[in-house]
Amino acid sequence: MPHPLEHADNWRTPATVTSVGAVVCLGVVLRGDGAGRGGVAVVLVLLWAACLAVVWARTRALLQVDGSRLTIRRVRARHTVAGPDVLAVRQRSSASGPVFTLVCREPGGGTRRVVAPVALLRGGTSTLFRWILEHAPQAELDRGARRTLDQLRVKGLVL
């Protein structure tokens, strides 16, 4: 039974720090006697909720290898990709590290793009490239993906 990769970061620390900071700030604002403190409290609660939403979205990342099938989830939907259907791999940068887009063939003849948020997962990049080399060797790698593959080979993470 295949298991998904572990998350690279700890979600508890940012959630705790954000919550403690929000409670302290709300306490200071609500104990004051200034005009508009209700509006400031609402803004603080909205900012706290936005921070927790970002932390929650990052914890939704999933990468699971099951033979020639790769299951990916970024935030909401899960996508399962078969190795022979991968046409190309494109790399782009994000704040947390490289993100790879798999261009896949659809059964109807079209293509779809599936984003693999490997930077959020422990061993995500090396797992993705091992899977590509084994089950999707026909996939065209862009310059960034080829450079990443070369770096993984130098480090001994892929053969």
Side-chain angles (χ1 to χ4, degrees):
M1 180 81 177
H3 297 287
L5 296 179
E6 292 181 32
H7 292 275
D9 57 351
N10 177 8
W11 62 269
R12 290 173 188 89
T13 302
T16 302
V17 169
T18 302
S19 298
V20 168
V23 168
V24 169
C25 290
L26 278 172
V28 169
V29 167
L30 293 177
R31 290 189 64 150
D33 59 356
R37 63 185 175 165
V40 172
V42 168
V43 169
L44 284 172
V45 169
L46 291 175
L47 289 173
W48 170 74
C51 288
L52 289 184
V54 169
V55 170
W56 174 81
R58 290 174 60 92
T59 64
R60 301 288 295 162
L62 172 102
L63 185 75
Q64 181 175 337
V65 174
D66 185 11
S68 67
R69 303 186 75 69
L70 181 71
T71 303
I72 299 169
R73 179 180 64 210
R74 186 154 184 200
V75 176
R76 288 185 331 208
R78 282 186 183 210
H79 302 281
T80 301
V81 177
D85 294 339
V86 178
L87 302 174
V89 179
R90 306 284 180 246
Q91 178 180 338
R92 64 179 172 83
S93 297
S94 73
S96 54
V99 175
F100 297 92
T101 302
L102 306 177
V103 180
C104 304
R105 183 181 314 113
E106 284 285 305
T111 61
R112 70 176 168 147
R113 298 180 187 286
V114 179
V115 177
V118 295
L120 301 175
L121 301 166
R122 188 163 300 162
T125 305
S126 58
T127 300
L128 176 67
F129 276 95
R130 277 194 302 269
W131 180 83
I132 289 169
L133 291 174
E134 186 175 342
H135 298 288
Q138 76 285 352
E140 172 195 334
L141 304 177
D142 71 349
R143 192 177 83 200
R146 283 192 308 272
R147 185 175 37 238
T148 299
L149 179 58
D150 291 341
Q151 291 172 352
L152 291 171
R153 283 182 172 147
V154 167
K155 293 178 183 177
L157 297 175
V158 297
L159 300 175

